[in-house]
mmCIF file of all heavy atoms in Angstrom:
data_model
loop_
_atom_site.group_PDB
_atom_site.id
_atom_site.type_symbol
_atom_site.label_atom_id
_atom_site.label_comp_id
_atom_site.label_asym_id
_atom_site.label_seq_id
_atom_site.Cartn_x
_atom_site.Cartn_y
_atom_site.Cartn_z
ATOM 1 N N CYS A 1 0.839 -1.199 0.000
ATOM 2 C CA CYS A 1 0.000 0.000 0.000
ATOM 3 C C CYS A 1 0.878 1.255 0.000
ATOM 4 O O CYS A 1 0.655 2.179 -0.789
ATOM 5 C CB CYS A 1 -0.928 -0.007 1.211
ATOM 6 S SG CYS A 1 -2.108 1.345 1.244
ATOM 7 N N LEU A 2 1.884 1.268 0.862
ATOM 8 C CA LEU A 2 2.766 2.434 0.929
ATOM 9 C C LEU A 2 3.642 2.541 -0.315
ATOM 10 O O LEU A 2 3.837 3.640 -0.842
ATOM 11 C CB LEU A 2 3.610 2.400 2.207
ATOM 12 C CG LEU A 2 2.899 2.983 3.437
ATOM 13 C CD1 LEU A 2 1.798 2.102 3.951
ATOM 14 C CD2 LEU A 2 3.877 3.328 4.516
ATOM 15 N N ARG A 3 4.129 1.413 -0.818
ATOM 16 C CA ARG A 3 4.963 1.433 -2.040
ATOM 17 C C ARG A 3 4.196 1.968 -3.235
ATOM 18 O O ARG A 3 4.746 2.645 -4.100
ATOM 19 C CB ARG A 3 5.475 0.028 -2.366
ATOM 20 C CG ARG A 3 6.781 -0.324 -1.700
ATOM 21 C CD ARG A 3 7.426 -1.550 -2.327
ATOM 22 N NE ARG A 3 6.772 -2.790 -2.011
ATOM 23 C CZ ARG A 3 7.015 -3.507 -0.919
ATOM 24 N NH1 ARG A 3 7.886 -3.098 -0.025
ATOM 25 N NH2 ARG A 3 6.371 -4.628 -0.712
ATOM 26 N N LYS A 4 2.898 1.640 -3.302
ATOM 27 C CA LYS A 4 2.058 2.056 -4.428
ATOM 28 C C LYS A 4 1.465 3.462 -4.234
ATOM 29 O O LYS A 4 0.666 3.911 -5.048
ATOM 30 C CB LYS A 4 0.936 1.038 -4.633
ATOM 31 C CG LYS A 4 1.446 -0.317 -5.116
ATOM 32 C CD LYS A 4 0.414 -1.425 -4.978
ATOM 33 C CE LYS A 4 -0.627 -1.399 -6.047
ATOM 34 N NZ LYS A 4 -1.532 -2.583 -5.971
ATOM 35 N N ASN A 5 1.863 4.128 -3.139
ATOM 36 C CA ASN A 5 1.362 5.477 -2.834
ATOM 37 C C ASN A 5 -0.172 5.529 -2.753
ATOM 38 O O ASN A 5 -0.793 6.472 -3.228
ATOM 39 C CB ASN A 5 1.886 6.504 -3.844
ATOM 40 C CG ASN A 5 3.370 6.684 -3.723
ATOM 41 O OD1 ASN A 5 3.909 6.778 -2.624
ATOM 42 N ND2 ASN A 5 4.057 6.721 -4.850
ATOM 43 N N LEU A 6 -0.744 4.529 -2.108
ATOM 44 C CA LEU A 6 -2.195 4.463 -1.942
ATOM 45 C C LEU A 6 -2.648 4.857 -0.545
ATOM 46 O O LEU A 6 -3.843 4.769 -0.237
ATOM 47 C CB LEU A 6 -2.689 3.040 -2.253
ATOM 48 C CG LEU A 6 -2.592 2.608 -3.706
ATOM 49 C CD1 LEU A 6 -2.893 1.118 -3.839
ATOM 50 C CD2 LEU A 6 -3.537 3.428 -4.566
ATOM 51 N N THR A 7 -1.736 5.298 0.280
ATOM 52 C CA THR A 7 -2.058 5.598 1.676
ATOM 53 C C THR A 7 -3.219 6.594 1.792
ATOM 54 O O THR A 7 -4.184 6.338 2.507
ATOM 55 C CB THR A 7 -0.818 6.148 2.409
ATOM 56 O OG1 THR A 7 0.252 5.227 2.220
ATOM 57 C CG2 THR A 7 -1.074 6.321 3.880
ATOM 58 N N GLY A 8 -3.131 7.710 1.108
ATOM 59 C CA GLY A 8 -4.181 8.730 1.183
ATOM 60 C C GLY A 8 -5.519 8.227 0.670
ATOM 61 O O GLY A 8 -6.562 8.483 1.268
ATOM 62 N N GLU A 9 -5.478 7.503 -0.438
ATOM 63 C CA GLU A 9 -6.696 6.945 -1.025
ATOM 64 C C GLU A 9 -7.377 5.981 -0.058
ATOM 65 O O GLU A 9 -8.588 6.070 0.183
ATOM 66 C CB GLU A 9 -6.355 6.222 -2.332
ATOM 67 C CG GLU A 9 -7.516 5.524 -2.987
ATOM 68 C CD GLU A 9 -8.516 6.455 -3.633
ATOM 69 O OE1 GLU A 9 -8.138 7.566 -4.041
ATOM 70 O OE2 GLU A 9 -9.699 6.068 -3.712
ATOM 71 N N VAL A 10 -6.615 5.073 0.517
ATOM 72 C CA VAL A 10 -7.183 4.084 1.437
ATOM 73 C C VAL A 10 -7.651 4.765 2.729
ATOM 74 O O VAL A 10 -8.747 4.478 3.227
ATOM 75 C CB VAL A 10 -6.188 2.936 1.706
ATOM 76 C CG1 VAL A 10 -6.719 1.986 2.787
ATOM 77 C CG2 VAL A 10 -5.897 2.169 0.415
ATOM 78 N N MET A 11 -6.847 5.678 3.256
ATOM 79 C CA MET A 11 -7.248 6.402 4.477
ATOM 80 C C MET A 11 -8.555 7.167 4.257
ATOM 81 O O MET A 11 -9.430 7.178 5.125
ATOM 82 C CB MET A 11 -6.145 7.368 4.923
ATOM 83 C CG MET A 11 -4.888 6.695 5.418
ATOM 84 S SD MET A 11 -5.117 5.810 6.956
ATOM 85 C CE MET A 11 -5.522 7.151 8.028
ATOM 86 N N GLY A 12 -8.686 7.813 3.111
ATOM 87 C CA GLY A 12 -9.915 8.539 2.805
ATOM 88 C C GLY A 12 -11.124 7.617 2.789
ATOM 89 O O GLY A 12 -12.195 7.962 3.310
ATOM 90 N N ARG A 13 -10.961 6.450 2.207
ATOM 91 C CA ARG A 13 -12.062 5.484 2.155
ATOM 92 C C ARG A 13 -12.406 4.964 3.548
ATOM 93 O O ARG A 13 -13.577 4.736 3.855
ATOM 94 C CB ARG A 13 -11.717 4.334 1.219
ATOM 95 C CG ARG A 13 -11.725 4.755 -0.242
ATOM 96 C CD ARG A 13 -11.213 3.647 -1.153
ATOM 97 N NE ARG A 13 -11.138 4.083 -2.522
ATOM 98 C CZ ARG A 13 -12.101 3.910 -3.428
ATOM 99 N NH1 ARG A 13 -13.210 3.291 -3.102
ATOM 100 N NH2 ARG A 13 -11.934 4.355 -4.653
ATOM 101 N N ILE A 14 -11.378 4.765 4.385
ATOM 102 C CA ILE A 14 -11.613 4.323 5.761
ATOM 103 C C ILE A 14 -12.456 5.363 6.503
ATOM 104 O O ILE A 14 -13.446 5.035 7.158
ATOM 105 C CB ILE A 14 -10.275 4.056 6.491
ATOM 106 C CG1 ILE A 14 -9.617 2.784 5.936
ATOM 107 C CG2 ILE A 14 -10.474 3.964 8.003
ATOM 108 C CD1 ILE A 14 -8.181 2.555 6.403
ATOM 109 N N GLU A 15 -12.080 6.621 6.389
ATOM 110 C CA GLU A 15 -12.832 7.680 7.071
ATOM 111 C C GLU A 15 -14.243 7.824 6.496
ATOM 112 O O GLU A 15 -15.207 7.987 7.254
ATOM 113 C CB GLU A 15 -12.070 8.998 6.997
ATOM 114 C CG GLU A 15 -10.836 8.995 7.880
ATOM 115 C CD GLU A 15 -10.107 10.314 7.899
ATOM 116 O OE1 GLU A 15 -9.876 10.893 6.808
ATOM 117 O OE2 GLU A 15 -9.776 10.772 9.005
ATOM 118 N N LYS A 16 -14.382 7.739 5.188
ATOM 119 C CA LYS A 16 -15.717 7.849 4.576
ATOM 120 C C LYS A 16 -16.620 6.703 4.993
ATOM 121 O O LYS A 16 -17.838 6.838 4.996
ATOM 122 C CB LYS A 16 -15.599 7.897 3.053
ATOM 123 C CG LYS A 16 -15.159 9.234 2.544
ATOM 124 C CD LYS A 16 -15.060 9.240 1.028
ATOM 125 C CE LYS A 16 -14.474 10.582 0.592
ATOM 126 N NZ LYS A 16 -13.906 10.516 -0.742
ATOM 127 N N ALA A 17 -16.017 5.561 5.357
ATOM 128 C CA ALA A 17 -16.802 4.409 5.820
ATOM 129 C C ALA A 17 -17.218 4.558 7.284
ATOM 130 O O ALA A 17 -17.839 3.661 7.850
ATOM 131 C CB ALA A 17 -16.010 3.122 5.618
ATOM 132 N N GLY A 18 -16.870 5.676 7.908
ATOM 133 C CA GLY A 18 -17.322 5.953 9.270
ATOM 134 C C GLY A 18 -16.375 5.551 10.378
ATOM 135 O O GLY A 18 -16.719 5.647 11.554
ATOM 136 N N PHE A 19 -15.169 5.127 10.038
ATOM 137 C CA PHE A 19 -14.184 4.775 11.059
ATOM 138 C C PHE A 19 -13.466 6.035 11.532
ATOM 139 O O PHE A 19 -13.110 6.894 10.729
ATOM 140 C CB PHE A 19 -13.151 3.777 10.510
ATOM 141 C CG PHE A 19 -13.725 2.447 10.181
ATOM 142 C CD1 PHE A 19 -14.187 2.175 8.899
ATOM 143 C CD2 PHE A 19 -13.831 1.459 11.145
ATOM 144 C CE1 PHE A 19 -14.730 0.950 8.577
ATOM 145 C CE2 PHE A 19 -14.378 0.220 10.838
ATOM 146 C CZ PHE A 19 -14.828 -0.036 9.558
ATOM 147 N N LYS A 20 -13.248 6.103 12.834
ATOM 148 C CA LYS A 20 -12.503 7.215 13.417
ATOM 149 C C LYS A 20 -11.090 6.736 13.736
ATOM 150 O O LYS A 20 -10.907 5.679 14.345
ATOM 151 C CB LYS A 20 -13.180 7.688 14.704
ATOM 152 C CG LYS A 20 -12.465 8.840 15.364
ATOM 153 C CD LYS A 20 -13.188 9.292 16.594
ATOM 154 C CE LYS A 20 -12.392 10.422 17.219
ATOM 155 N NZ LYS A 20 -13.081 10.981 18.345
ATOM 156 N N ILE A 21 -10.100 7.499 13.322
ATOM 157 C CA ILE A 21 -8.710 7.165 13.604
ATOM 158 C C ILE A 21 -8.394 7.618 15.024
ATOM 159 O O ILE A 21 -8.551 8.796 15.347
ATOM 160 C CB ILE A 21 -7.773 7.857 12.598
ATOM 161 C CG1 ILE A 21 -8.061 7.344 11.186
ATOM 162 C CG2 ILE A 21 -6.310 7.634 12.983
ATOM 163 C CD1 ILE A 21 -7.453 8.187 10.091
ATOM 164 N N VAL A 22 -7.961 6.676 15.879
ATOM 165 C CA VAL A 22 -7.618 7.028 17.251
ATOM 166 C C VAL A 22 -6.109 6.972 17.503
ATOM 167 O O VAL A 22 -5.632 7.504 18.492
ATOM 168 C CB VAL A 22 -8.395 6.186 18.289
ATOM 169 C CG1 VAL A 22 -9.883 6.517 18.229
ATOM 170 C CG2 VAL A 22 -8.175 4.705 18.110
ATOM 171 N N ALA A 23 -5.356 6.342 16.598
ATOM 172 C CA ALA A 23 -3.886 6.348 16.668
ATOM 173 C C ALA A 23 -3.359 5.806 15.349
ATOM 174 O O ALA A 23 -3.987 4.952 14.724
ATOM 175 C CB ALA A 23 -3.375 5.484 17.819
ATOM 176 N N MET A 24 -2.213 6.332 14.934
ATOM 177 C CA MET A 24 -1.556 5.775 13.753
ATOM 178 C C MET A 24 -0.091 6.163 13.754
ATOM 179 O O MET A 24 0.312 7.136 14.391
ATOM 180 C CB MET A 24 -2.226 6.211 12.460
ATOM 181 C CG MET A 24 -2.117 7.657 12.117
ATOM 182 S SD MET A 24 -3.068 7.964 10.625
ATOM 183 C CE MET A 24 -2.159 9.334 9.984
ATOM 184 N N GLU A 25 0.696 5.373 13.046
ATOM 185 C CA GLU A 25 2.117 5.652 12.918
ATOM 186 C C GLU A 25 2.633 4.930 11.678
ATOM 187 O O GLU A 25 1.969 4.042 11.145
ATOM 188 C CB GLU A 25 2.891 5.196 14.150
ATOM 189 C CG GLU A 25 2.873 3.698 14.396
ATOM 190 C CD GLU A 25 3.656 3.275 15.631
ATOM 191 O OE1 GLU A 25 4.485 4.052 16.124
ATOM 192 O OE2 GLU A 25 3.436 2.149 16.088
ATOM 193 N N ILE A 26 3.810 5.325 11.236
ATOM 194 C CA ILE A 26 4.488 4.621 10.152
ATOM 195 C C ILE A 26 5.691 3.931 10.769
ATOM 196 O O ILE A 26 6.467 4.553 11.490
ATOM 197 C CB ILE A 26 4.923 5.583 9.037
ATOM 198 C CG1 ILE A 26 3.699 6.209 8.377
ATOM 199 C CG2 ILE A 26 5.763 4.847 7.993
ATOM 200 C CD1 ILE A 26 4.012 7.245 7.325
ATOM 201 N N VAL A 27 5.822 2.637 10.506
ATOM 202 C CA VAL A 27 6.915 1.847 11.067
ATOM 203 C C VAL A 27 7.510 0.952 9.982
ATOM 204 O O VAL A 27 6.883 0.711 8.955
ATOM 205 C CB VAL A 27 6.441 0.958 12.243
ATOM 206 C CG1 VAL A 27 5.873 1.788 13.373
ATOM 207 C CG2 VAL A 27 5.426 -0.073 11.789
ATOM 208 N N LYS A 28 8.696 0.471 10.240
ATOM 209 C CA LYS A 28 9.277 -0.597 9.429
ATOM 210 C C LYS A 28 9.517 -1.755 10.385
ATOM 211 O O LYS A 28 10.375 -1.679 11.255
ATOM 212 C CB LYS A 28 10.576 -0.188 8.751
ATOM 213 C CG LYS A 28 11.120 -1.334 7.898
ATOM 214 C CD LYS A 28 12.098 -0.885 6.884
ATOM 215 C CE LYS A 28 12.506 -1.969 5.908
ATOM 216 N NZ LYS A 28 12.731 -3.297 6.399
ATOM 217 N N LEU A 29 8.714 -2.789 10.241
ATOM 218 C CA LEU A 29 8.848 -3.945 11.117
ATOM 219 C C LEU A 29 10.146 -4.684 10.833
ATOM 220 O O LEU A 29 10.502 -4.893 9.674
ATOM 221 C CB LEU A 29 7.681 -4.917 10.909
ATOM 222 C CG LEU A 29 6.297 -4.438 11.314
ATOM 223 C CD1 LEU A 29 5.249 -5.467 10.898
ATOM 224 C CD2 LEU A 29 6.233 -4.185 12.803
ATOM 225 N N THR A 30 10.826 -5.076 11.887
ATOM 226 C CA THR A 30 11.958 -5.982 11.727
ATOM 227 C C THR A 30 11.383 -7.372 11.467
ATOM 228 O O THR A 30 10.217 -7.639 11.815
ATOM 229 C CB THR A 30 12.818 -6.018 13.003
ATOM 230 O OG1 THR A 30 12.014 -6.565 14.068
ATOM 231 C CG2 THR A 30 13.350 -4.639 13.379
ATOM 232 N N PRO A 31 12.176 -8.276 10.912
ATOM 233 C CA PRO A 31 11.663 -9.642 10.765
ATOM 234 C C PRO A 31 11.208 -10.233 12.102
ATOM 235 O O PRO A 31 10.173 -10.914 12.159
ATOM 236 C CB PRO A 31 12.851 -10.404 10.173
ATOM 237 C CG PRO A 31 13.598 -9.357 9.390
ATOM 238 C CD PRO A 31 13.472 -8.107 10.232
ATOM 239 N N GLN A 32 11.932 -9.951 13.175
ATOM 240 C CA GLN A 32 11.539 -10.476 14.489
ATOM 241 C C GLN A 32 10.189 -9.909 14.937
ATOM 242 O O GLN A 32 9.341 -10.644 15.458
ATOM 243 C CB GLN A 32 12.620 -10.184 15.535
ATOM 244 C CG GLN A 32 12.311 -10.751 16.901
ATOM 245 C CD GLN A 32 12.052 -12.260 16.884
ATOM 246 O OE1 GLN A 32 12.700 -13.009 16.170
ATOM 247 N NE2 GLN A 32 11.062 -12.703 17.652
#
């Protein structure tokens, strides 16, 4: 999603579907 630059598009759809964002962050997970 992030590689394809769809973050804004997907976030907009999430909000339009009535979900409220209560926390978010960008991370890079380690394999562990």
Side-chain angles (χ1 to χ4, degrees):
C1 185
L2 276 72
R3 272 195 287 274
K4 292 165 78 174
N5 293 316
L6 291 171
T7 307
E9 176 73 27
V10 174
M11 292 292 296
R13 289 173 184 266
I14 289 170
E15 289 184 313
K16 283 180 186 160
F19 294 92
K20 180 178 179 175
I21 297 166
V22 294
M24 67 184 208
E25 64 180 342
I26 296 176
V27 300
K28 181 161 188 319
L29 294 174
T30 64
Q32 183 56 39

